[in-house]
Amino acid sequence: MTEEPHVKIFDTTLRDGEQAPGFSMSTSAKLVVARALAEANVDIIEAGFAAASPGDAEAIRTIAAEIQGPRICSLSRLNPGDIDASARAIEPAASKRIHTFIGTSPLHRDAKLKMSQDEILKAIAETVRYAVDACDDVEFSPEDAIRTERDYLAEAVQAAIEAGAKTINIPDTVGYTTPEEITDLFRFLIATVPGADGVTFSVHCHDDLGMAVANSLAAVRGGARQIECAVNGIGERAGNCSMEEAVMALATRRDFFGCKTQIDTTKLYPAARALSRVTHNPIPRNKAIVGKNAFAHEAGIHQHGVLADKRTYEIMDAEAVGMPSNTLVLGKHSGKHAVLARAQYLGFNVSKQKIEDIFPAFKRLADTCREVTDADLVKLLTGNAEADGRIGPWRMRQTELHVDMEGRERPYARVTMEHDNGERRTVRHKGEGPIDAAFAAVCAIADVPARISVLDLHHVASEGVVRAEAVIDVGEDQYFGKAQEVDVADAAVAAFVAAVNQAAAVRARRDCAVEEAS
Ligand code: KIV
Ligand code: ZN
């Protein structure tokens, strides 16, 4: 039996991804993501573009020094200065790569570079050789390859191979190609360029027409053995091929693609979360593989099927991508099976009759809101909620937020909260900003190690209020809280407290259930 080909995963979250507006990262943030990528066992990390800025060069060098396992790569334009900067930045890495590129399409040649075809071929031959002297692993990309004349593209690729490039990357820089076209292009290049059998062909797709993943997989069908991709599909404009989607497509449809990767798929969700956390960009709910809804089911028929056998509506296990488990979201489409399952998950030892009893109230509530939260369900099951609708033991008493406009002191918050047992606690905490400080103080008081995951604030001008919704992560679990206040900071903190209160209430119920059982 012939061995399945290995498709390398070249992750460019920290380079192409980081170039996208809203995703720039400090060195320490990049390191968090690089560690998550190494945990996932990606083959190559493109850690940045060394010549772009001293900060980028420093981040690459830090990653090169610290990260073990993946090859560390830096991007360079096709000139000696950029190549020297890359070589210096990746120097501490155990295995390294220089990735160099130049535009080859008529638009790039004429409008941007003002270079003839021959001048570009000469630059490729000379500068790729220069890069090979600096680093024994060189990748070359003819930028905008898809809009380059095929015969000229083949000449450019041949020049890079002859100069010593080991990887030839074919970028769809503007997200223009289609699956059939790119399969055909890879077949053409691999069959016709002299020396093609001695190098790895790579694909790099952008998502302008929403086809980056499909096109990357189609390139694999055409012979590509490296996919350039980014966590959560971030990248220039509409983004790059999404790493988790490409990897899970190859794994789930191994029967069809006949290729394997070395990725530990259980680290995909943690990597997506790490990126989301350090860049403060929530993962869209409906994002394939790692979105909150990817393994969530609300419709009653689906929930019943999934509870009986999750394969009825799932082609992958949530656990396979590192998500805690499939989630049954309670809403107006949910049935009694799901309500019972969630009650048991929350630690309630309830009978089917109890679920029958609360079900009409559950449906009435579900009709009025987007999602029936754990706290809502606890309220229905126990009949317990404070007059203010609060679930959980903590009540906010006072919040003071301090910002030194001169910047001499870090922002801090002083928060006082009261427990149902009458205990009052006050904590003063510093933070990145006053609200961050208040969140940290709330966590310290309630002894709940929460991280804010989503904070939505809506100013309702007609009512003169701010509505806030907060989602927090506590270990593997997520909790939701909402609040309405006149002031935006008060609303944010109150929604956070509501979510922390839910976490505290669920923890108390689970502790009780464990005690009863033992
Ligand atoms: O999209 C692109 O063409 C690139 C190259 C630098 C590979 O990102
Ligand atoms: Zn790109």
Side-chain angles (χ1 to χ4, degrees), residues 181-199:
E181 184 179 67
I182 200 166
T183 306
D184 188 55
L185 178 62
F186 272 78
R187 287 194 178 138
F188 162 77
L189 291 172
I190 292 169
T192 59
V193 176
D197 53 348
V199 299

Side-chain angles (χ1 to χ4, degrees), residues 11 80 127 134 188 204-205 210 238 287 293 351 358 395 397 406 409 412 445 454:
D11 185 276
T127 320
F188 162 77
H204 176 113
C205 291
K287 170 79 184 62
N293 284 6
S351 61
I358 65 159
R395 196 185 303 259
R397 284 300 178 214
E406 311 271 286
E409 199 186 1
Y412 70 88
I445 290 174
V454 178

Side-chain angles (χ1 to χ4, degrees), residues 27 46 51 62 66 69 76 84 109 121 254 264 308 351 361 369 382 415 419:
T27 297
E46 188 166 48
T62 308
E66 164 148 347
S76 324
D84 292 344
R109 293 192 312 257
L121 291 180
R254 206 160 161 172
D264 175 353
S351 61
C369 61
T382 61
V415 173
H419 195 272

Side-chain angles (χ1 to χ4, degrees), residues 97-110:
R97 172 176 296 184
I98 291 180
H99 176 192
T100 186
F101 73 99
I102 189 164
T104 50
S105 67
L107 267 169
H108 280 242
R109 293 192 312 257
D110 302 339

Side-chain angles (χ1 to χ4, degrees), residues 394 397-398 416-419 421-426 445:
W394 291 101
R397 284 300 178 214
Q398 204 178 358
T416 303
M417 287 166 57
E418 188 174 328
H419 195 272
N421 64 13
E423 184 192 354
R424 254 181 191 248
R425 286 192 202 160
T426 300
I445 290 174

